[in-house]
Amino acid sequence: DIVMTQSPLFLSVTPGQPASISCKSNQSLLYSDGKTYLYWYLQKPGQPPQLLMYELSTRFSGVPNRFSGSGSGTDFTLKISRVEAEDVGVYYCMQSIQLPLTFGGGTKVEIK
Amino acid sequence: QVQLVESGGSVVQPGKSLRLSCAASGFIFNDYAMHWVRKAPGRGLEWVAVIWYDGSNENYADSVKGRFSISRDNSRKTVNLQMNSLRGEDTAVYFCARDDQRGSGPPMDIWGQGTTVIVSS
């Protein structure tokens, strides 16, 4: 199974400031079709997870452009350019290059 | 609108069985694979199982293999999770999510609200 490792576990951010979450996989998520099968989800309190980014760097429909995804192979980053109050919750990376699908342990983001 | 609604969660004793259902609406159900993902208290998201869009294949997490079974009824637009030999560590909120297997969309773009399973004596 592919192991996904996120850091930090917890992030406290002042509104308007940037934030960055790291995710590492123990196998490359770059497939032969040229796509990187890395996704980012946010689970807000009391809600189901919602898709933020797919295939490394494509924002899902309706996701604000303050969110961006980058990286390659096994090292990935989700960046929020200017954190807003509505961004609180737990962020998860996930890989879908092979089954079983696996998630990172999560990064909890709170607002200072 | 596109919607997934889970049901069937309950409090159940260890060793017993439970069947969860997920009803889909607002999209072409038989174009999509369907996943179950769970969130246990104090833990992160854990993928549980997937069934292909046509029901031709299934795959399970090692933690549930041999105890859980996923199925679907495309005529009724439902996907089920039969959970047998339940353990305390199966206590979680269970979510269903769709996967655009026949298209180019991302997996798990739409999720249900979840249904709670508590395994306790």
Side-chain angles (χ1 to χ4, degrees):
Chain A
D1 298 1
I2 295 178
V3 177
M4 307 294 289
T5 304
Q6 280 182 242
S7 61
L9 289 177
F10 182 79
L11 208 48
S12 184
V13 188
T14 300
Q17 293 301 301
S20 180
I21 300 171
S22 171
C23 174
K24 297 181 189 296
S25 59
N26 66 347
Q27 296 180 38
S28 176
L29 303 186
L30 175 63
Y31 193 56
S32 55
D33 61 3
K35 296 180 181 178
T36 300
Y37 288 89
L38 185 279
Y39 304 81
W40 290 96
Y41 292 86
L42 165 61
Q43 187 172 24
K44 296 182 179 181
Q47 296 186 21
Q50 59 188 79
L51 178 63
L52 294 176
M53 311 289 300
Y54 64 97
E55 291 167 10
L56 181 64
S57 59
T58 303
R59 276 187 301 275
F60 186 56
S61 175
V63 175
N65 60 11
R66 64 179 180 274
F67 289 91
S68 64
S70 63
S72 61
T74 60
D75 285 3
F76 313 101
T77 302
L78 177 71
K79 292 183 179 176
I80 312 172
S81 59
R82 293 174 302 280
V83 172
E84 297 188 5
E86 65 181 22
D87 300 335
V88 298
V90 182
Y91 290 77
Y92 296 93
C93 58
M94 185 201 79
Q95 64 80 22
S96 74
I97 199 169
Q98 72 176 225
L99 292 174
L101 304 185
T102 47
F103 291 89
T107 296
K108 186 172 184 178
V109 172
E110 75 155 27
I111 300 298
K112 282 183 181 175
Chain B
Q1 74 278 24
V2 176
Q3 195 172 12
L4 296 170
V5 179
E6 302 93 338
S7 61
S10 178
V11 179
V12 61
Q13 293 179 330
K16 299 295 188 182
S17 298
L18 200 62
R19 185 177 179 87
L20 306 183
S21 291
C22 169
S25 59
F27 63 98
I28 302 173
F29 183 69
N30 51 1
D31 278 351
Y32 288 78
M34 295 298 295
H35 298 267
W36 286 96
V37 175
R38 66 186 181 183
K39 170 72 171 69
R43 301 179 67 104
L45 297 174
E46 180 188 17
W47 175 82
V48 173
V50 63
I51 186 165
W52 262 226
Y53 69 97
D54 58 359
S56 62
N57 199 8
E58 307 151 25
N59 202 282
Y60 300 90
D62 284 346
S63 58
V64 306
K65 202 171 293 183
R67 299 187 299 122
F68 289 13
S69 177
I70 189 171
S71 62
R72 66 189 295 155
D73 184 335
N74 283 350
S75 65
R76 297 187 176 190
K77 301 182 181 181
T78 57
V79 59
N80 302 303
L81 187 68
Q82 178 66 41
M83 309 163 67
N84 299 329
S85 303
L86 281 161
R87 306 168 179 167
E89 55 263 38
D90 297 319
T91 295
V93 177
Y94 285 74
F95 300 97
C96 63
R98 73 174 192 177
D99 182 334
D100 190 11
Q101 189 173 36
R102 299 189 70 188
S104 58
M108 297 196 282
D109 63 336
I110 300 294
W111 297 60
Q113 288 296 312
T115 189
T116 299
V117 174
I118 298 174
V119 183
S120 174
S121 54

